[in-house]
Each structure stands twice: as structure tokens, then as C-alpha cells.
Amino acid sequence: MAFLSAQTAKLEGERYFGVDLAKRETQLAVLNAAGEQVFSKRFDTSREQFLALASELREGDTLALEVTTNSTAIARLIRDNSKAKLIVSNPIKTKVIAQAKIKTDKIDARVLAELARVGYLPEVWLPDEDTEALRHFISDRTTLVRRRTECKNTVHSVLHRNLVRQTKTDLFGTGGREWVETIIAGTAADTAPIPELDRLRIGSLMNEIDRIDAQVADLESVIASYIAVRPHLKQQMDRLLSVTGINLVVGAGLMATIGDIKRFPDKKKLAAYFGVVPSTKQSGDTSRNGRITKQGRAEARWLLIEAAECIRRHPGPMRALYTRIHKKRGHNVAVVAVSRKLIELVHHLLTREEDYIYRIPRLTGEKRARVRFLAKKKLGVEIKSAAVRAAGRPALYGTGIGIQGRKLKSDIAKQAAAHAERLYQAIVEQRKGKLSDPAAPLIPATDLVFDPTRPSETDWEKILSAATAKLLEKHKNKKRN
């Protein structure tokens, strides 16, 4: 039995299909090129029905639907089984439907088809299966962490309600857990007695926290193993782990949000996608920049801010940027500014397939090894690193320094990054002074051994090699004396 009517099947020219999805039943509206509705149908939301619809779509047709729980699976069915143009719309931006006074499934389906016909439907990117899987993993982990936080807050609330003064900095660390166990058992000597019901409740909450901890650890192993067996994801993860402040969870969250990096032609587009760019309101000759737009996935922006909080504490241009803005605008604005620079850095690393120049070798190696360890624990198979080994032997090879070499190389990287930070501050101050005095001289590019505003991996390696040689000479002189 045909899915579409005979009149619709014989219709020549372009056809526009609007699909209003629901859990059990879906509404379809079909318009011709002139915008006249020629067909309407309500059918079960099932795989068989959408396959029947896809089989009768032809090249030149346009089908539009809004993002909802099952929209991705349905969109893939249509895309893989027909030649029609598929538009997946962002419901937040489709305000014509949301603000309608008379809102029915038939009207919604027709409006989707009409907006598709006039080219006024805001599209969203349809993620590939790997990206969608990472999004589900990160979303599940976020849910677990929020539940764990809720349980911990409840424990604090119960103690506070019973006037129990907390004597441990962290209730859920080793010492804190031992102290809480004495309260649960009723043997705590330094606190007032707590009713048995509250003690039983605290014990139940602590058991729930332990259960969630195990679930979170297992889910992180699943994420690591999923990435480790896919070379393109493993390579991207190793690139991101070279950045201080980005670990497995943050890296996976950024990858899940970005998807294919090629869909962002420049770093500004990626920063806008994460919602860390200032909003702009313009009318006539006046233009005003406001707070950040906060567009995109909120959990990804939260992970980005967490990474920015970490990287702004380590030497390098990022810390110099934070320090400069913190003096003028305060902590929150400064961290958001660092987060924007951080996502722009991520765009650079993924598009050019490079590691972060100011990486700390020991920390980067440990983070990558941690991901491989978690993957091995879940899969039972040895996972090799996707990082490219440097040509030749390490600078500290054969020096007799021994195991201290790893720490010394990390110290060298930190000292060099601190030098780059000071140089970055000097360049920014000079450029700022040139705005008030155009005749003020700038540091000639030829005099810069290393330019932190346009860093080069080759020049950075020269600086690290020179610093290593200087350290080795100092070590040799110390041994002679």
C-alpha cells in the first residue's frame, strides 16, 4: 500500500514535507512549489512507517523536522533511504511555531514545510554515530555526578541540622570518611548525639555515594575504551591531552560537542558555537556588546570553564591573559576570556594536528597513559599511544641524571613557559602603549627569539634544547665540584 496519495505521487516539481514528531503518532504535511498544501497524514511513529515514507521520496524533495528525542534516528532513516534533502531544525530558534496562538500538530507540520520552502528554517548539524555516542556518555556521566553532589550536600545538611560541627576539611576523603563512620556508629566523642534515624540516613547516603563513584569510574573506562579503538578519536584525544587542564572527561566532552572540526571554518565560529563570545545589540548607529551568548551545550561550556580554571594557574600566555583581565574586570570575566582563548586553541590543535606548545611533558604523558590504562582495564587489550615519537634520543639521554630527568624536563618546560608569559606581557603592554602613541616603537620581529603571539613549534624546541643544555652544564659543574 502506497504511503502518499496518488495526487501527491504524480505532483511535478519540488515538494516540501513538514514532519511534526511525537512519541506515538506523527503528523505529515506536504506542500507544492507554490506553497499550497496537497496532502496531510497522521501515522504511527515507527520504523516501518518512516521507511515507507522514505521509499516514496524523490530527488528534489525537501523534508523538515524539529530536534526531539527520536529525531536523530528518524533523520538517519530518511537520509540513508532516500535522495531527498533533509533539514533538521533547532526548535529553540523556530519561534514561529513556539509562539503561535493556535498550536496543533497539523499547523506545526505545515509551518515546518512552509519555512523549508522559503528557506527560513534554522538547521542543526546531524552528528555522526561516534559523536552521538560520546554525547550520550558525557550526558550520563553528568547525571551521575549531579546525583553524587546532591547526596553529599544532603549529608552536610543532616549534620548541620543536628548542630554537628565538621572537624574535617573533606568529609568524603580518607580521614573524613573515618570520622563520618564514627558518627554513623554513634561512637563519635567530639560531637553531640544524633538521632538514630539521621544516622541511618547518613549511612544510606554514604553507600549511595560509593555506588555512584563506582559507576562513574566504570563509565570513564567505557569512554576511554570507546575512544581508544577508534584511531581518529584517539588522535584527537592525544592532541587535547597535551593542554594543561584537559583530561579524559573534558577532552571527550569537547570532542562530543565539536564533532567534525572541519565544519568550523575558523576559530571564531567555534567560540560562538560554544557560546563564549559577547552578545551584540545594534540599532542604527549604536552598537553595544553584552554578556556572553551562552549558546550551544551548557555542559560543554561548563567543562570548558573548568579547564580554563586550571590552565590559568600554570605559566604561559594564558595566565598572562587572565592576570591582565582580572585586574580590570575581576575573576569571572577573566576566566571566561581564558575559556574563549582555550577553545580557539583547541580549534588550532585539531585542524593543524599539533600538540600544545607549552605542554608539560611528564603531565601529558601521564594523562595519555591514564586513558590507555582505563581502556586496557575495560577491553583487556594493550592500547598504543597515538602520539608521534620525537626523532632521535631525548635531550637527557645518557647524562647520568637517571630518573630525575623526567622531573627536570618538566621544570625546564615550566621555566620556558614562564619566560614566554613575561615576553607576552611585554608585547601586549607595548602594543597598548602604541594605541596612545602611534610613534612608540615595537619590538622588532627579528629581535624576538620566540614570539608567543605567533608561536612556532620549531623555535620552541630550540628554546627547550638550549635550556636543557644549560641545565646539563650546570649539573656537570656541580658533580665536578
Side-chain angles (χ1 to χ4, degrees):
M1 183 177 177
F3 186 88
L4 302 175
S5 65
Q7 179 186 2
T8 306
K10 294 179 181 179
L11 185 65
E12 296 182 356
E14 297 177 342
R15 301 182 299 180
Y16 298 90
F17 295 76
V19 179
D20 184 62
L21 298 174
K23 185 176 182 179
R24 295 179 179 85
E25 290 186 330
T26 296
Q27 182 67 42
L28 172 68
V30 184
L31 307 183
N32 60 17
E36 301 171 344
Q37 183 167 324
V38 296
F39 182 67
S40 177
K41 182 175 182 178
R42 193 172 186 86
F43 58 93
D44 292 337
T45 305
S46 64
R47 181 184 181 86
E48 293 74 17
Q49 292 291 322
F50 280 103
L51 286 175
L53 171 61
S55 65
E56 298 187 27
L57 296 175
R58 65 194 184 207
E59 190 172 0
D61 290 343
T62 300
L63 186 143
L65 52 86
E66 284 186 319
V67 172
T68 186
T69 305
N70 55 1
S71 60
T72 301
I74 293 172
R76 287 192 179 130
L77 279 177
I78 302 296
R79 182 194 62 188
D80 298 340
N81 295 278
S82 72
K83 295 182 179 179
K85 178 184 177 182
L86 179 66
I87 299 178
V88 182
S89 171
N90 186 345
I92 298 177
K93 295 183 179 180
T94 314
K95 296 182 179 180
V96 176
I97 296 177
Q99 296 177 354
K101 293 184 178 179
I102 302 177
K103 193 176 188 311
T104 65
D105 292 345
K106 289 185 179 181
I107 293 176
D108 290 353
R110 179 185 172 89
V111 170
L112 280 172
E114 181 63 29
L115 292 176
R117 187 182 72 86
V118 298
Y120 195 67
L121 203 58
E123 294 186 53
V124 298
W125 177 67
L126 184 62
D128 56 82
E129 293 182 0
D130 289 341
T131 302
E132 186 182 13
L134 286 178
R135 288 182 176 182
H136 290 321
F137 288 145
I138 295 300
S139 180
D140 291 344
R141 186 187 181 278
T142 302
T143 302
L144 289 173
V145 171
R146 286 175 178 169
R147 172 56 184 160
R148 182 175 62 186
T149 303
E150 181 184 351
C151 292
K152 290 181 178 181
N153 290 341
T154 304
V155 172
H156 282 286
S157 176
V158 172
L159 294 177
H160 177 66
R161 187 175 67 246
N162 286 277
L163 303 178
V164 176
R165 183 176 296 276
Q166 182 176 325
T167 60
K168 302 294 181 180
T169 305
D170 182 12
L171 283 185
F172 309 98
T174 303
R177 291 296 293 262
E178 294 177 354
W179 181 71
V180 172
E181 290 298 330
T182 61
I183 292 179
I184 296 173
T187 59
D190 55 345
T191 62
I194 298 178
E196 182 180 5
L197 181 61
D198 284 340
R199 288 191 283 112
L200 291 174
R201 189 181 179 196
I202 293 175
S204 177
L205 289 168
M206 298 301 283
N207 291 335
E208 178 71 2
I209 292 171
D210 291 339
R211 185 185 66 82
I212 296 176
D213 284 340
Q215 285 184 304
V216 170
D218 182 70
L219 186 55
E220 290 180 357
S221 295
V222 171
I223 296 173
S225 61
Y226 189 87
I227 292 174
V229 297
R230 289 162 175 80
H232 67 289
L233 295 181
K234 183 170 66 172
Q235 184 180 22
Q236 291 182 24
M237 177 59 73
D238 276 2
R239 298 296 184 196
L240 295 180
L241 291 179
S242 65
V243 181
T244 306
I246 295 183
N247 57 10
L248 169 65
V249 175
V250 176
L254 296 181
M255 291 164 56
T257 304
I258 295 170
D260 184 7
I261 191 63
K262 294 180 181 178
R263 66 194 184 100
F264 299 99
D266 56 61
K267 59 185 180 181
K268 293 182 179 179
K269 293 286 195 308
L270 182 59
Y273 184 74
F274 272 77
V276 290
V277 297
S279 57
T280 303
K281 294 182 180 180
Q282 185 175 12
S283 178
D285 297 333
T286 62
S287 180
R288 183 176 66 86
N289 291 330
R291 298 176 182 271
I292 59 174
T293 60
K294 292 188 178 181
Q295 297 294 317
R297 300 172 68 86
E299 60 187 18
R301 189 164 51 255
W302 171 68
L303 291 173
L304 188 64
I305 294 294
E306 290 295 309
E309 283 282 8
C310 181
I311 197 173
R312 60 104 177 168
R313 298 187 182 96
H314 289 74
M318 289 288 192
R319 188 170 70 176
L321 172 66
Y322 171 83
T323 303
R324 177 165 55 89
I325 299 180
H326 179 264
K327 292 179 180 178
K328 300 178 180 178
R329 306 291 301 277
H331 171 75
N332 292 341
V333 175
V335 169
V336 172
V338 172
S339 69
R340 177 177 179 178
K341 287 298 181 182
L342 181 57
I343 197 59
E344 292 177 353
L345 170 65
V346 168
H347 183 276
H348 178 91
L349 300 182
L350 295 182
T351 52
R352 300 196 180 186
E353 298 183 353
E354 298 176 353
D355 287 345
Y356 184 43
I357 284 184
Y358 305 109
R359 62 189 177 276
I360 302 175
R362 182 177 182 179
L363 179 61
T364 301
E366 289 176 350
K367 289 192 292 184
R368 290 171 175 171
R370 174 67 178 171
V371 174
R372 296 197 301 272
F373 169 76
L374 292 176
K376 180 182 178 181
K377 185 171 66 172
K378 176 60 66 173
L379 300 174
V381 179
E382 191 72 31
I383 303 296
K384 294 183 179 180
S385 174
V388 180
R389 289 184 176 273
R393 292 176 172 176
L396 297 176
Y397 182 83
T399 58
I401 293 181
I403 196 171
Q404 296 178 354
R406 292 180 62 204
K407 182 179 183 302
L408 291 176
K409 291 187 73 173
S410 296
D411 292 340
I412 291 172
K414 291 178 182 179
Q415 293 173 11
H419 176 70
E421 177 184 347
R422 293 190 295 270
L423 189 58
Y424 175 83
Q425 289 175 329
I427 293 175
V428 170
E429 288 297 327
Q430 281 204 342
R431 289 180 178 177
K432 181 180 177 181
K434 192 171 180 62
L435 292 176
S436 56
D437 183 12
L442 290 176
I443 301 177
T446 54
D447 294 345
L448 289 175
V449 180
F450 177 75
D451 186 357
T453 61
R454 294 182 178 179
S456 166
E457 184 74 34
T458 304
D459 293 340
W460 182 248
E461 288 295 333
K462 291 179 181 178
I463 292 177
L464 291 179
S465 298
T468 304
K470 184 177 180 180
L471 177 67
L472 291 177
E473 185 65 27
K474 181 179 180 181
H475 183 74
K476 290 179 180 179
N477 294 333
K478 186 177 180 180
K479 290 180 68 176
R480 290 171 186 167
N481 297 333

